[in-house]
Amino acid sequence: FLVDCVRGPPKQIEVVVVGASFGGLAVRQMLAGRRDVSLTLVDFKNYFEYTPGVLRCFIDPSYLRSITCPLPQNGNKVVLGEL
C-alpha cells in the first residue's frame, strides 16, 4: 500500500484507433472497460457502415438504416477527420 501511495495513480495509456470499421471497432471492444487506457476513435464519419450492403441501397434507399449504426460514444472519444 505504501509503495502505491509513493508512486501515485497509474498513468493512462493513450490509444488512437484510425478507422472505425471492423478492425477499429474490434480493438475498441477489446480495450473497453480498461481503466488504464484512454481510447480515441478517428474516422471520417460518425457511423459504422457495412460497405458490402451499400449496393442494395441503389435499389432500396431505405435499406441504409439496416447497414449503418452510430459509433459507440461511451468509454471513448470519437474524432471526425481524415489523416
Side-chain angles (χ1 to χ4, degrees):
F1 175 75
L2 184 57
V3 173
D4 290 335
C5 290
V6 173
R7 286 187 197 155
K11 296 191 186 265
Q12 280 198 322
I13 301 167
E14 297 283 335
V15 177
V16 177
V17 178
V18 179
S21 192
F22 288 106
L25 292 179
V27 170
R28 183 221 174 256
Q29 186 174 13
M30 288 182 346
L31 297 175
R34 288 189 48 174
R35 293 184 195 188
D36 63 333
V37 173
S38 173
L39 181 69
T40 302
L41 286 173
V42 179
D43 203 296
F44 65 93
K45 56 191 183 315
N46 63 350
Y47 58 91
F48 170 81
E49 173 184 84
Y50 180 65
T51 308
V54 169
L55 293 176
R56 183 169 172 182
C57 292
F58 287 117
I59 297 166
D60 180 10
S62 67
Y63 190 67
L64 185 62
R65 287 188 299 262
S66 301
I67 63 168
T68 60
C69 64
L71 292 179
Q73 300 283 329
N74 56 338
N76 56 261
K77 294 176 256 178
V78 175
V79 175
L80 298 180
E82 294 184 39
L83 298 177

